[in-house]
Structure formats: C-alpha cells, structure tokens
Amino acid sequence: MMSIAGRLSQLLRITRPIQTTSRLVSSSMTIDGNTILAESLKKQGVEYVFGIVGIPVIELSMAFQSAGLKYIGMRNEQAAAYAAQAIGYLTGTPGVCLAVSGPGLLHCIGGMANAQVNCWPLLVIAGSCPEDHEGIGGFQEWPQVEASRPYCKYAGRPPSARLIPLHVERAVRLASAGRPGVSYLDMPGTLLTAEVDEDKVPMDFYHADPVQLAHPSPVQVEKAAELLASARRPLIVVGKGAAYARAEAAVNQLVGDTKIPVLPTPMGKGVVPDSSPYVVSSARTTALLHADVVLLLGARLNWMLHFGQPPRYAPDVKIIQVDISPEEFHNSVKSEVAVHSDIKPFVEALSQKLAQKKVTLQPSSNDWWQQLKKKQDTNVAFVEAQANQKTVPLNYYAVFKTVQANIPANSIVVSEGANTMDIGRGILLNDLPRHRLDAGTFGTMGVGPGFAIAAAMWCRDYAPGKRVVCVEGDSAFGFSGMEIETMFRYKLPVIIVIVNNNGIYSGFDKETMESIQSSGDVTQCTPPTSLSTEVRYEKMMEMFGETGHFCRTVEEIQAALKHAATVTDRPTIINIAINPQSSRKPQDFNWLTESKL
Ligand code: ADP
C-alpha cells in the first residue's frame, strides 16, 4: 500500500518523493535538515508557523507538524508575516513565517519591515535554490540573505545541517532579546534534504536560558522620582513597549497610587484600562501640549508622539524616557532622565520612591486635572452628539458607538484603515493590554486579516471564548481580504466589520461616481481615492455556503453583531455602508503636524 507521503507526492505531481516524517524514512543513524530545523524550533519554544508552501519547503512544513508545531497555511506571504509577528507580540515568543524561495521571501519583506519598525519578534524562514544551482540561474534564485538584512537584527544561512540548531537558537534569541525584532534564516533545498549523523547534531547544547529582566540604576529612579514630585502638570505616556513588557500590574499600581493622568499610544491602550478615570485620551492634544513632565514608558518620540517637540509640546517640557533600548534615548529631544530598564522593574521601583515622597494628585481639586477634565467633557460631548445621529447613511461615530456597545466584552480589536482606525481608536475601548492590534508605527495597511488570524489562534489556545473583532476600512480589507478563506479553513470565529465608504479616506455615492466616470476616460477622471460603490464584501461568505451581513442602519448593525457573537466555528463578515463623505471631527492639529523648529 502506498504511504501518505507517496500519495501526497503523486497528488502534488512532485517527482522527488515527499517525506512527511523524514525521521521515519531516514536510517536510524541519520537525520535530515528538515527534521533538525523543526526540532530546533520546538526546542527554542516556538509554537506557531504561518506560511505558504511550495518547492523546497513542503517537506519542511510537514516536519513542523510532526515536531508538534502548529502550522497555519495562509494565502499570501505578507499576511503570513503579519500573523507571525502578531503572535510574537501576543505570546512574547517569535512566530515563524515560512516562505518559498525568491518571490515567496520577497513577499515577506513588507511584513518584516513592519515587525522591525514595530519592535515585534518575528522569525522568517525561506527555502532557497539548491546551493549547486547558485550563480547559474537556479529556480527562483535570489540573494535572499542580503535582501533580508536591512529588515532584520540577524540574517544568515546555516553553513551545514549540523549547525542548524546553533543558527535557530541565535535567530530566536536575537528576535526576542533586548528590543525585539526580526531574524531571517535562509534554507537552501540542499541543506533541508542533507542527511547527517544524528549523534553529531548538538540539539541540546544550544538551548539558552531566558534573558533576565534589565533593572534600572537606583540613581536614575531617584532622579525620575524627584522630577515627577516637583512637576505641576505630570503626564504618563504608555506605549506598546509597556504592553509587550507585561508591565500592566506595575503601571496600574503606579497610576492608582499617584493619580497622574495617563495617555496611551494606540497600541498602549489597555495597559491602563480605557475605562479608568485616570486615562485622558479624550484630552490628548491638551495633555501633550501642557504637560511639564512626561514619563515615557515604552514609547518612542517619533511621528506618533509628534517628536516631543513644539508646537505639540511645551518648549520646556521635561522627558523621563524609559526603554530597553538605550540607542533610543535623546533621538528627537534630549531627555532629562533616560533610564535603561525593562518597564516593570523600573515602574515598581519608581512607585516605591513616589510613595515615600507622598506624590498623589487629587483629581477633584488639582488644577491640571481640572484643565484636562474640561477638555475631556467638551470632546466627549462632541463625539456623543455625532454618535447619536442615526440618519442613513450613517457617519463613523454612530457606527463605532453601535459596534462598541454590541461586541463581546474584552474582545481583541484589530483595526486598520485611515478614518476607520483613527476615529475608531477613541470609541472602541480596550480594558486589557495587548487587546488592540493596528497599522502601528509603520502605518501599514493590509495587516488586519493576518493579525486577526494570529489573535484568533491565541484566543483558541490561551483564552477560549474570547473573540476577535477586525474592524476594517474597505480599502484596507482589500489588501488581504482573501485570508477569509484561511479563517474559514482553520475555523476561526473572527468578526470582520467592514466600514465601507467606497474609497481611500473617502469616496462617492453611486450616482456621483457614475457621473464622474462618464465625464471622460476612466483613467483620467476616476478619483485615485475612490473605489467601486456599493461593493458587497459580505457576499464573500457565500463562497463557503454561508451568509454575511449587509447593514445600513444602527438596528441592522446591532442584529448582525448579535448573530456574529453566536457563531463560534467560522468567520463572519458585516459590511456596513456608511456616508462616503463622512469624516473626522476637526482637529486642533492634524495627526502628522510636526515641529516647526
Ligand atoms: P508606541 O507605538 O506605542 O508609541 P513604540 O513602538 O514607538 O511604541 O515604542 C516601544 C518602545 O518600547 C521601543 O522603543 C522598545 O525598545 C521599547 N520596549 C520594548 N520592550 C520593552 C521592555 N520590555 N521594557 C522597556 N522598553 C521596551
């Protein structure tokens, strides 16, 4: 009788026989590169692989499964790279993205850059052409190590199958240690199929101990405490580095004791619950502009925090910067106190010092709190008024208010799109850390479905019953929409909400679009920001014999979300047609307003 491997080889029309469990077909004394790689990853604590197979990594994907790794086959390598980095952020251990040679690896580059810029751990592994075909026009030959290097902390090719465990250990350690980032391992087909003596492969030798937390210098803690104690308008900015550091208990203790106002960055949301009275997101501009001392916990003073410079900050603001990466210090402004530390031990030490100094603001009487509260009241009233306008077509605010009120409690929210992400950030609340995944520091569109697949896998394995809600602009959804099939195949109950305004930033209604397009050649007159009108994205569910939801009213959204919450073994698409011209509340500063210095 033909083996599973043989049948697979026949089905896939591959001449070389596939070895599902190469250990079984090898002689007892030898082991091949596929198996060494799979077992090495397992040894280093890797749990998930997201990828797309083809020559020369089909056997490798099966070796992963045989080694007990979870393999999730995706539809596009870029989405696989997004999923692998999101699982890295959620678990603290790098996920693997597996790709084929040449174009497969090159499709991962956007995902690698996104992970590196977000400071998230990721390990990319790609097959490459056999070493003896290099330089003579090998199939999908490309200088893959060199191509990956600008996007990586570490990029290399093991020189022999025997040394694969060493390179895997190094790749996992470099992706996770210090400031997290990306590693790349290049695996020529000849290396994967190479057979070596099993007892010559040092599998156990290369297993490093976990890296210890970096503790702060007591001198720096004292300086930070003194500065905060003397501040009249202190502010704590919490970034996704604090979320990655699992520092939530320490940060909440600090905030509860001192009652210093807290401003989360987009993915810092939830470290301190959005519903906490100390979170001042609705007075963001005022908080940044008038703070005299900013305690920066795991966030960079890059474009997202307006570089820490005027006109968005007071010219004499003093920054206390806490980061695992000292290379980050003083990048855009000189920090008054720069502390090289993990967030958690620093915040614990600081809390003790501030308790000794009896630093506690009284929100009911403190002038700074009063100033912030006044601004919060005005902004909340504006949003509430917008959200209560239920006329059809709906505006963004009414949609998000309805979504927030009807999704399962403490869902992980994935969000991308321009207006969809910006407006949704203020209304879709996170009360738990690492429960928001969005376009991030690199502003990457197309991350949503990949992130949602990783988040749903994490829920399945670590928080059964918790739901993932993926709130997408229609343009953003288009980048990776086919991953709906991956969600369906792996029975992931992601609730996809598409906020559909027929365009990028904004679009047009059907009549206006028809009239614009009839005015000349479509390539000359179709607005580059527009997409087709009234696209029925929810009908993608019909590919699987299911029905999606198309909504125009608040009541229809409520009913769709109620139904989606009961579906636990497949994704749901809720396509909401909104006013194509709906926009954001006028801002004092545009998001990208930078320094005039
Ligand atoms: P945000 O987008 O939320 O503003 P950034 O990605 O800009 O956050 O910054 C995150 C920062 O957190 C990075 O500078 C990174 O080095 C730092 N970081 C990551 N992990 C830790 C940790 N365990 N302790 C301290 N800082 C950390």
Side-chain angles (χ1 to χ4, degrees):
M1 206 172 98
M2 191 180 281
S3 67
I4 296 177
R7 283 209 302 276
L8 259 170
S9 298
Q10 263 198 354
L11 279 171
L12 296 169
R13 294 173 205 281
I14 289 174
T15 43
R16 184 157 41 93
I18 286 177
Q19 301 172 358
T20 42
T21 48
S22 43
R23 203 187 265 281
L24 293 180
V25 296
S26 301
S27 85
S28 61
M29 300 301 289
T30 64
I31 183 168
D32 69 7
N34 285 313
T35 310
I36 299 171
L37 180 51
E39 296 290 346
S40 304
L41 289 167
K42 181 85 181 159
K43 274 236 150 53
Q44 298 303 329
V46 169
E47 197 180 343
Y48 299 92
V49 181
F50 300 85
I52 299 185
V53 294
I55 294 170
V57 295
I58 298 178
E59 295 91 334
L60 180 59
S61 64
M62 295 173 187
F64 286 160
Q65 290 180 316
S66 299
L69 298 171
K70 291 164 189 155
Y71 180 79
I72 298 102
M74 307 279 292
R75 300 303 300 263
N76 180 300
E77 289 91 354
Q78 207 174 63
Y82 296 144
Q85 66 198 258
I87 209 77
Y89 176 65
L90 293 171
T91 63
T93 303
V96 167
C97 170
L98 176 69
V100 300
S101 42
L105 181 266
L106 290 170
H107 289 170
C108 297
I109 295 280
M112 292 163 81
N114 191 69
Q116 187 79 346
V117 172
N118 260 355
C119 313
W120 285 1
L122 168 67
L123 170 53
V124 175
I125 297 176
S128 53
C129 87
E131 283 163 299
D132 50 350
H133 292 177
E134 280 180 5
I136 55 171
F139 174 66
Q140 298 187 331
E141 182 187 353
W142 193 254
Q144 297 183 184
V145 175
E146 290 91 323
S148 303
R149 194 157 280 137
Y151 312 95
C152 287
K153 290 174 77 180
Y154 170 64
R157 170 192 289 186
S160 72
R162 203 179 70 78
L163 291 176
I164 289 174
L166 180 147
H167 284 261
V168 168
E169 187 279 329
R170 188 175 160 88
V172 171
R173 178 162 45 84
L174 267 74
S176 337
R179 171 184 274 177
V182 183
S183 289
Y184 172 65
L185 285 179
D186 195 58
M187 292 286 165
T190 32
L191 190 65
L192 290 170
T193 50
E195 297 265 343
V196 290
D197 283 350
E198 193 160 5
D199 55 7
K200 294 220 175 92
V201 182
M203 296 295 286
D204 292 325
F205 180 78
Y206 295 115
H207 190 221
D209 293 334
V211 175
Q212 300 301 304
L213 285 187
H215 283 252
S217 135
V219 176
Q220 296 301 86
V221 177
E222 178 59 33
K223 273 193 195 166
E226 271 172 23
L227 197 54
L228 278 168
S230 67
R232 294 184 52 224
R233 294 178 304 281
L235 179 69
I236 301 176
V237 172
V238 178
K240 64 178 174 299
Y244 186 76
R246 275 77 182 152
E248 50 268 16
V251 174
N252 278 290
Q253 174 90 43
L254 171 73
V255 172
D257 289 352
T258 62
K259 302 180 176 34
I260 295 174
V262 177
L263 183 67
T265 64
M267 281 197 265
K269 270 160 65 75
V271 171
V272 177
D274 275 338
S275 57
S276 158
Y278 307 120
V279 168
V280 295
S281 298
S282 50
R284 183 179 194 274
T285 299
T286 303
L288 292 178
L289 187 56
H290 296 288
D292 61 354
V293 174
V294 171
L295 171 61
L296 193 66
L297 298 177
R300 286 166 287 181
L301 287 175
N302 55 17
W303 67 275
M304 291 182 89
L305 284 171
H306 322 290
F307 312 108
Q309 296 174 355
R312 304 296 304 263
Y313 291 74
D316 54 356
V317 64
K318 295 188 167 54
I319 307 283
I320 303 166
Q321 191 175 11
V322 188
D323 207 292
I324 195 72
S325 167
E327 293 91 333
E328 189 56 40
F329 296 151
H330 318 300
N331 263 346
S332 53
V333 288
K334 186 175 184 309
S335 292
E336 193 74 11
V337 184
V339 191
H340 178 208
S341 173
D342 257 281
I343 302 293
K344 195 164 165 267
F346 169 80
V347 171
E348 284 166 354
L350 180 71
S351 287
Q352 278 186 12
K353 285 278 172 208
L354 292 179
Q356 284 162 12
K357 293 179 193 297
K358 300 196 177 4
V359 175
T360 307
L361 307 190
Q362 292 304 334
S364 55
S365 55
N366 175 277
D367 287 349
W368 175 223
W369 262 116
Q370 294 307 305
Q371 185 181 357
L372 291 167
K373 282 208 152 84
K374 205 166 147 208
K375 192 68 191 174
Q376 282 183 295
D377 290 346
T378 316
N379 287 346
V380 168
F382 175 92
V383 170
E384 210 37 41
Q386 291 287 310
N388 288 335
Q389 286 176 18
K390 295 183 182 167
T391 42
V392 174
L394 293 170
N395 68 40
Y396 281 106
Y397 296 86
V399 168
F400 290 131
K401 185 178 176 184
T402 311
V403 171
Q404 169 63 26
N406 291 283
I407 54 177
N410 290 323
S411 296
I412 295 185
V413 176
V414 178
S415 183
E416 61 170 338
N419 286 325
T420 298
M421 188 172 68
D422 283 349
I423 302 171
R425 186 166 48 241
I427 306 175
L428 302 173
L429 303 182
N430 299 103
D431 276 353
L432 293 173
R434 301 171 294 283
H435 275 52
R436 179 182 173 85
L437 303 169
D438 66 22
T441 312
F442 212 31
T444 309
M445 292 299 144
V447 292
F451 282 3
I453 287 168
M457 273 289 159
W458 183 83
C459 291
R460 189 195 75 145
D461 296 344
Y462 290 97
K466 185 183 281 295
R467 298 300 296 265
V468 177
V469 182
C470 183
V471 185
E472 300 273 298
D474 52 333
S475 161
F477 180 69
F479 287 84
S480 307
M482 201 58 214
E483 297 299 341
I484 186 85
E485 189 277 323
T486 310
M487 294 176 193
F488 196 83
R489 192 165 10 110
Y490 290 96
K491 306 183 192 308
L492 300 175
V494 177
I495 302 172
I496 299 177
V497 176
I498 299 173
V499 185
N500 188 352
N501 71 348
N502 310 339
I504 304 167
Y505 300 108
S506 60
F508 298 96
D509 60 43
K510 196 165 193 274
E511 266 179 26
T512 313
M513 188 67 171
E514 274 169 7
S515 137
I516 293 173
Q517 287 201 303
S518 62
S519 67
D521 185 294
V522 283
T523 63
Q524 299 291 304
C525 64
T526 304
T529 52
S530 67
L531 295 171
S532 299
T533 57
E534 299 183 9
V535 177
R536 302 295 295 269
Y537 296 102
E538 81 287 357
K539 285 182 186 283
M540 289 176 81
M541 289 309 299
E542 293 175 16
M543 299 191 300
F544 313 107
E546 303 291 339
T547 313
H549 302 266
F550 180 65
C551 309
R552 289 184 193 277
T553 67
V554 164
E555 292 73 23
E556 286 166 352
I557 302 171
Q558 285 168 339
L561 285 167
K562 205 168 159 200
H563 175 258
T566 65
V567 176
T568 56
D569 61 352
R570 60 179 186 274
T572 315
I573 299 181
I574 302 174
N575 179 16
I576 307 174
I578 66 162
N579 182 344
Q581 293 289 312
S582 175
S583 61
R584 198 175 180 198
K585 155 184 175 299
Q587 304 288 300
D588 290 340
F589 293 99
N590 284 326
W591 181 244
L592 286 172
T593 305
E594 19 177 288
S595 163
K596 293 204 173 84
L597 290 176

